[in-house]
Amino acid sequence: MNLAVIGLQFGDEGKGKIVDFLAEDFDIIARFCGGSNAGHSVMYEGEKFKLHLVPSGVLRGKIGVLGNGMVIDLEILKNEVDTLKAHGIEPRLIISSRAHVVTSFHKKMDEIEDEIRRIGTTRRGIGPAYETKVKRVGIRVGDLFHYETLLKRLNLMTRLWGIYDEKEVKKEAKKLQALAYEFRESVKDTEIWLNEAMLLGKSILFEGSQAVLLDIDFGTYPYVTSSSTFSGGICSGLGVNPRLIHRVMGVMKPYMTRVGAGPFPTEIFGDEAELLREKGGEYGATTGRPRRVGWLDMPLLRYATLIGSVDEIALTKVDILEGIDIIPVAWEYECDGKIMKYPPFNFERCKPIYRNFQGWSSLEDENLKNYIEMIEKEMGAKVRILSYGAGREATRLID
Ligand code: IMP
């Protein structure tokens, strides 16, 4: 059986931990979107690893695939691999020849553009890398082994951006070639490799990055990332048959967070927000930025579950709300006098209508059971995993 694990909020739901927890039951862990904008925190033998590109499951010795839908910064990937090796972990990676490469020019453009446009990107060159892909001047991992193609594409993209500098282009080409050489054994046509592996009966865990509400099509555009982060992105980001995605697990927290700009109807501020942020350690894994925090938003979650084709839910960080007496949940939106169960196209002017739920003091508390039942009923999917701490031991499977 193959399983997809995707985020249902604005990222940072704890997907890394859930993938690490489930990895044992799968042969291959495959990533299909994003790049080093992701920050998956995983505890391994008492140490915390922050992975940006390496799929979380490789810590368990599984094969990690970096799919064609990703954009890869080889310098960051090398640092991550070196860190893992220094800890005695030899990651088994396969990198798609069709994945696009993030160069220093992409990172430079991300900074220049975000200064003006202010989405609050991670400045890892992600948007510009997808931009050059669609503009058809991008560099794919496989192109790094053909110096002339590499140079031609670097020339084209820097000219189109108006930042061409012959010396810089040549320097970048040499750096990228050297990096590619290091990974030459790992580069494959992963779409063929993966399909053949499935034919041989290998099981795949598709590891999502970011989340449905940051998806380029279904997220809060333009405050989104630049790839297909929902379950549909698996088909284009890895080249697999949609019928082979057998189940989809959506990961969510019992409250909401967001980094960067964009609509957030249930956002809270002041001391209340500070308390939640500190208790939940809500600081960006990639950029260290304090995350915006707020209450659960059912219109957005109903939407994310529907679009993501979610079959089951992993509810993380349930310990963080422990000890709070009353937990408000946005039940519906009021938009220009109309009550809405789903967010309309433009919901910036909508006001959340809240329902209050009783807080819980332990995992066994009836109030937590009620909260979970509410989530299951409204989202139409069973909560299968409860997570209440960073380590694997703080995880409970529910039948
Ligand atoms: P980009 O992906 O760097 O272009 O950033 C676009 C938006 O997505 C910004 O608001 C980022 O903060 C957000 N973002 C990107 N990746 C992640 C993630 O892994 N977790 C949370 N937010 C993210």
Side-chain angles (χ1 to χ4, degrees):
M1 197 210 54
N2 303 323
L3 174 77
V5 174
I6 62 166
L8 293 183
Q9 293 161 317
F10 294 106
D12 310 314
E13 299 91 354
K15 294 178 291 295
K17 176 195 157 162
I18 298 298
V19 169
D20 176 66
F21 179 76
L22 296 171
E24 233 144 71
D25 294 337
F26 295 87
D27 300 306
I28 297 161
I29 317 295
R31 266 191 66 180
F32 55 93
C33 67
S36 57
N37 48 350
H40 295 160
S41 306
V42 182
M43 293 296 289
Y44 181 71
E45 295 188 350
E47 252 189 284
K48 187 173 182 178
F49 287 90
K50 275 189 186 169
L51 301 173
H52 301 288
L53 283 162
V54 170
S56 308
V58 301
L59 296 180
R60 307 282 152 202
K62 304 296 169 165
I63 300 175
V65 175
L66 278 71
N68 59 278
M70 292 184 69
V71 291
I72 302 175
D73 184 328
L74 288 172
E75 214 168 352
I76 294 184
L77 183 62
K78 181 172 156 33
N79 287 341
E80 237 165 77
V81 168
D82 289 347
T83 306
L84 291 175
K85 282 184 178 165
H87 284 83
I89 303 162
E90 192 71 42
R92 295 198 288 161
L93 293 181
I94 300 185
I95 305 167
S96 169
S97 52
R98 292 171 186 272
H100 278 245
V101 175
V102 177
T103 70
S104 56
F105 301 121
H106 293 98
K107 286 184 266 193
K108 185 176 173 174
M109 287 311 291
D110 204 359
E111 282 197 13
I112 294 172
E113 287 176 353
D114 212 50
E115 274 306 313
I116 300 163
R117 188 196 41 195
R118 299 232 172 254
I119 283 175
T121 71
T122 57
R123 303 201 171 188
R124 296 292 182 104
I126 306 302
Y130 284 111
E131 179 193 331
T132 51
K133 173 178 177 174
V134 176
K135 239 178 190 160
R136 288 151 293 170
V137 294
I139 298 156
R140 295 173 300 172
V141 172
D143 295 325
L144 296 175
F145 302 100
H146 306 276
Y147 194 68
E148 290 312 312
T149 311
L150 172 59
L151 215 51
K152 187 175 148 203
R153 299 279 171 74
L154 284 173
N155 278 332
L156 275 172
M157 73 170 65
T158 53
R159 276 183 202 282
L160 284 169
W161 276 330
I163 56 168
Y164 175 71
D165 176 327
E166 192 183 350
K167 232 172 83 190
E168 286 299 313
V169 162
K170 286 206 167 126
K171 199 169 116 195
E172 184 72 14
K174 294 239 152 57
K175 187 180 92 182
L176 291 173
Q177 267 213 316
L179 281 164
Y181 188 76
E182 297 235 5
F183 287 106
R184 67 193 181 287
E185 303 290 340
S186 310
V187 177
K188 290 200 191 324
D189 298 332
T190 48
E191 68 279 19
I192 298 172
W193 185 89
L194 206 55
N195 275 293
E196 285 187 336
M198 286 190 281
L199 282 175
L200 290 173
K202 302 284 182 204
S203 57
I204 324 284
L205 192 161
F206 303 108
E207 177 179 357
S209 296
Q210 293 82 45
V212 179
L213 301 176
L214 286 177
D215 181 85
I216 185 74
D217 286 283
F218 302 108
T220 54
Y221 191 89
Y223 301 100
V224 291
T225 191
S226 303
S227 60
S228 287
T229 55
F230 77 122
S231 32
I234 296 168
C235 303
S236 57
L238 284 163
V240 304
N241 181 334
R243 285 186 293 273
L244 294 178
I245 306 166
H246 299 125
R247 294 193 75 71
V248 179
M249 175 175 277
V251 187
M252 62 179 277
K253 298 189 274 207
Y255 55 95
M256 310 280 286
T257 63
R258 170 162 212 168
V259 254
F264 189 171
T266 60
E267 185 167 11
I268 54 173
F269 303 91
D271 290 347
E272 198 182 25
E274 200 51 39
L275 203 76
L276 198 52
R277 186 176 299 116
E278 287 308 314
K279 204 168 168 210
E282 298 295 354
Y283 292 88
T286 299
T287 57
R289 289 178 289 179
R291 294 177 186 145
R292 298 159 67 193
V293 296
W295 302 120
L296 209 61
D297 186 323
M298 293 319 289
L300 286 180
L301 280 163
R302 286 186 199 106
Y303 183 77
T305 315
L306 184 77
I307 299 303
S309 314
V310 171
D311 300 296
E312 50 202 5
I313 293 168
L315 185 63
T316 60
K317 289 195 152 181
V318 284
D319 55 316
I320 304 304
L321 293 190
E322 260 174 30
I324 297 179
D325 290 342
I326 299 292
I327 300 174
V329 171
W331 199 252
E332 288 154 330
Y333 287 166
E334 199 227 290
C335 314
D336 300 324
K338 267 173 74 184
I339 304 297
M340 317 278 287
K341 270 184 103 73
Y342 288 101
F345 174 73
N346 187 346
F347 60 89
E348 300 227 13
R349 286 203 319 273
C350 297
K351 282 199 182 63
I353 302 171
Y354 287 98
R355 276 194 190 179
N356 285 337
F357 287 79
Q358 297 293 319
W360 51 89
S361 52
S362 74
L363 286 189
E364 318 312 327
D365 196 321
E366 277 301 313
N367 292 340
L368 175 58
K369 290 201 179 94
N370 290 340
Y371 200 77
I372 291 172
E373 270 173 31
M374 175 277 288
I375 287 172
E376 291 180 331
K377 188 160 172 273
E378 290 305 309
M379 294 171 62
K382 275 268 168 220
V383 173
R384 293 281 178 217
I385 297 181
L386 267 193
S387 165
Y388 46 95
R392 306 190 93 207
E393 67 295 341
T395 321
R396 184 180 286 183
L397 275 172
I398 308 175
D399 284 335

